[in-house]
Amino acid sequence: MKKILTLVFVSALGGMLTLGAYKLFIEEDKALVVNTVEEQPALIPTSVSNTVYKPYETPDFTKAAENTVNAVVHVKNITISRGQMTFEDLFMGRSPNRAQLGTGSGVIITPDGYIITNNHVIDKSQELSVTLNNNKTYEAEIVGTDPKTDIALLKIEADEELPVVTFGDSDNAKIGEWVLAVGNPFNLTSTVTAGIISAKARDLSGNASQSFIQTDAAVNPGNSGGALVNTNGELIGINTAISSQTGSYIGYSFAVPSNIARKVVNDIMEYGTVQNGILGVSGTSLSSSIVEKIEVEQNIKIGDTQGFYVGNVEEDSGADEAGIKEGDIIKKIDNVEIIKFSDLKGHLNTKGPGDIVNVTYSRDGNIKTAPVRLVKNMTAILPLVGRIKNAKPEDLKKYKTKNGVKIAQLDSDYAEYWNKNGIKEGSIITAVNDVEVNSVDDVQQALKNKSTRESLRIELINEKGEKERYNFR
């Protein structure tokens, strides 16, 4: 047994000596390599500067709210409505008329008490009062209204200088910009809500007669006539409407742009009525379907799907004098991009007769720019007849008459009837409802004085120079 252990020990010792000799004298030296995994940082800086990253911060609305809330007032409107006659009313000999209280908001724009609000807030008012944020109440007088833009101007006689909201430039307002809506929803006075501008030049009527700023700031019944302000507290809109199936806010509210509202109140103060300047063109906004329809009907190639297509240029208008023609595509007006007609309408609503605008348009693929002087609207729609305009001296001379207005375009539904009776475009209308007319204003006044049950009576001169009278019931 001892011999076996001795043999094993000698064998192991010999192996160790052999291995040691190999390592020492034969094997080459090699560097020791250690494999490690270095953990990368979660954020890799792009520079070596000591940058401190801060989380996104929302704007501070406190200053804008403080500057606005005291200048937004509570408007109360008492109207008289005719209720249904009851047996008790009949027995007591009482009138079924009922007094109704409507409420809204308004914005003080001058220290001496001029207040801007919506026309629908004060429409048909019998009594009108305004309550300030300090709870003082004053009787209010209506200075003027413009139902087309839904703007009205009020005046109160206060015993102190009043806080005001300054006008901002609504053209410079950007989609995505933070805004505050300040008003009195549900009779909750001095309410402030925040949101962003969702869209501009929004038309709710479907006939391109409106150009609203759309926001997602919460607006409810009672907010009408209140202020939409930017983060500087500048007035950029008058809150006017909401889009809702329930009658309450569901995420969409609309405001009249401040540039339009300011122009309306300035006209009311200076002229007593709004002075509208027109470009003198009619047509349609372009889209793929509209372009295809025009190209097929007129056998032309448009090659564009964005802008306002000029279908007609009014004679003697600023557009006519500037050389704009049928088939031109208006792309910009004063650097305001025109995508739809409400873009064009909204900008023109901030201008008056005599103002000059720069119109950029495309003709046969070439871009041109022309200054256009806006003129007062000299046309109107006469029911059953069509579009009429003021007649020139040579027009009156042609038909041997001293007064009248000219038919510029016959109503398409009745054009065949008029043509059969010798009445053409260019014929002269001399009287409406037995009142001689010399201008479009005269025609509009005659229509305004006409009762709902009264027939429409028109005196015209046909192409033979003969006077004819028509009575429409």
Side-chain angles (χ1 to χ4, degrees), residues 65-85:
E66 288 174 1
N67 291 343
T68 308
V69 72
N70 291 315
V72 173
V73 301
H74 199 182
V75 180
K76 296 179 181 180
N77 170 16
I78 296 179
T79 61
I80 304 298
S81 62
R82 186 172 181 81
Q84 185 175 359
M85 177 73 76

Side-chain angles (χ1 to χ4, degrees), residues 210-211 260 341-350:
Q210 301 169 327
S211 185
I260 294 177
F341 183 62
S342 55
D343 294 321
L344 183 65
K345 179 71 172 175
H347 189 71
L348 292 178
N349 280 347
T350 68

Side-chain angles (χ1 to χ4, degrees), residues 40-152:
Q40 297 294 322
L43 294 176
I44 302 176
T46 58
S47 68
V48 295
S49 61
N50 295 323
T51 303
V52 178
Y53 293 93
K54 295 182 179 179
Y56 175 74
E57 296 180 357
T58 57
D60 183 1
F61 297 122
T62 56
K63 183 178 180 181
E66 288 174 1
N67 291 343
T68 308
V69 72
N70 291 315
V72 173
V73 301
H74 199 182
V75 180
K76 296 179 181 180
N77 170 16
I78 296 179
T79 61
I80 304 298
S81 62
R82 186 172 181 81
Q84 185 175 359
M85 177 73 76
T86 65
F87 284 110
E88 186 179 356
D89 290 332
L90 187 62
F91 181 76
M92 299 295 293
R94 297 184 309 202
S95 169
N97 292 341
R98 301 286 188 270
Q100 290 186 328
L101 174 64
T103 62
S105 305
V107 184
I108 305 173
I109 57 174
T110 65
D112 59 345
Y114 280 99
I115 297 170
I116 187 171
T117 185
N118 284 140
N119 179 65
H120 74 261
V121 170
I122 54 85
D123 190 33
K124 299 177 182 177
S125 63
Q126 300 295 318
E127 295 181 27
L128 199 59
S129 65
V130 166
T131 302
L132 308 186
N133 197 42
N134 60 10
N135 294 324
K136 289 186 177 182
T137 299
Y138 299 92
E139 290 186 1
E141 174 190 356
I142 299 175
V143 180
T145 64
D146 182 39
K148 289 183 180 179
T149 56
D150 200 9
I151 292 295

